[in-house]
Amino acid sequence: MTDKKNQVSRRQFLNYTLTGVGGFMGAALVAPMVGFAVDPLLKGEKDTDFVYVMDENEITNEPQRKTFKVDQVDGWYESQVDRTAWVFRDENGEILALSPVCTHLGCTVDWNSREEFSNEFFCPCHDGRYDKNGVNIADTPPTEPLHAYEYKVEDGKLYLGKAKSRKEA
Ligand code: FES
């Protein structure tokens, strides 16, 4: 005598099989669409790439203002945005490329723009001051140094990457 409880009928077998195959095919169709829709959101900004800014032999001990463009990806929207750096060699001959964005509230700093604060970066919004190396001067509003761009020199050309905080440095 056979145990009918443990047997699967032909109809049940077909149901299970078709449901399984249908589910698999549905997932195979939907997964790429979900990936396409979500992918740009996961990518984030593209501005980690290094961008040519100037020739190495043009870098002096005096900060020079250099503007360059970086690609930016924001979701599905790609654009080019301007970046600015103050580029020079410090007293040790090391290249420094400083962001002009004040670390207090984000205004733009200028180099050597005030007679009374010569050889300093000055922020006109709240009288923020930084020394030549971009280090914030005590008792002025900024609480950390100007951010510095990552850089690399290849074949005599200076490339800048992302501006990073030097707070921990
Ligand atoms: S934003 Fe520069 S000092 Fe306030």
Side-chain angles (χ1 to χ4, degrees):
M1 198 166 142
T2 54
D3 185 1
K4 288 220 169 194
K5 270 189 194 169
N6 291 333
Q7 283 187 339
V8 177
S9 71
R10 188 178 305 173
R11 180 176 304 222
Q12 283 174 319
F13 175 76
L14 275 175
N15 269 343
Y16 294 150
T17 306
L18 290 177
T19 303
V21 170
F24 179 77
M25 288 174 68
L29 283 174
V30 170
M33 288 190 263
V34 170
F36 178 76
V38 173
D39 187 51
L41 300 176
L42 301 177
K43 272 187 184 163
E45 286 205 356
K46 206 175 170 182
D47 61 2
T48 50
D49 296 338
F50 284 81
V51 175
Y52 168 77
V53 173
M54 65 194 296
D55 287 350
E56 186 186 15
N57 62 13
E58 294 172 346
I59 303 172
T60 63
N61 295 332
E62 184 75 6
Q64 297 178 65
R65 189 180 173 170
K66 291 288 171 183
T67 304
F68 54 102
K69 290 188 182 301
V70 296
D71 293 329
Q72 185 172 274
V73 180
D74 187 9
W76 292 267
Y77 183 68
E78 289 190 28
S79 60
Q80 281 211 316
V81 292
D82 287 332
R83 294 269 190 271
T84 299
W86 286 99
V87 183
F88 61 101
R89 286 191 186 276
D90 68 14
E91 58 278 1
N92 301 317
E94 297 292 325
I95 294 171
L96 253 183
L98 299 176
S99 163
V101 178
C102 181
T103 57
H104 179 224
L105 291 176
C107 289
T108 302
V109 303
D110 207 353
W111 167 249
N112 224 357
S113 60
R114 288 287 177 98
E115 224 173 87
E116 65 270 37
F117 306 129
S118 64
N119 289 325
E120 289 183 8
F121 290 97
F122 180 77
C123 177
C125 290
H126 312 101
D127 295 344
R129 292 165 53 202
Y130 304 83
D131 69 16
K132 187 181 176 188
N133 290 330
V135 176
N136 50 306
I137 291 175
D139 300 325
T140 72
T143 55
E144 67 169 297
L146 293 172
H147 293 185
Y149 285 94
E150 296 175 313
Y151 73 87
K152 65 181 179 183
V153 176
E154 276 178 11
D155 298 329
K157 296 182 186 311
L158 174 71
Y159 298 83
L160 298 185
K162 240 180 170 173
K164 297 213 163 157
S165 170
R166 297 183 293 161
K167 203 172 183 179
E168 306 303 317

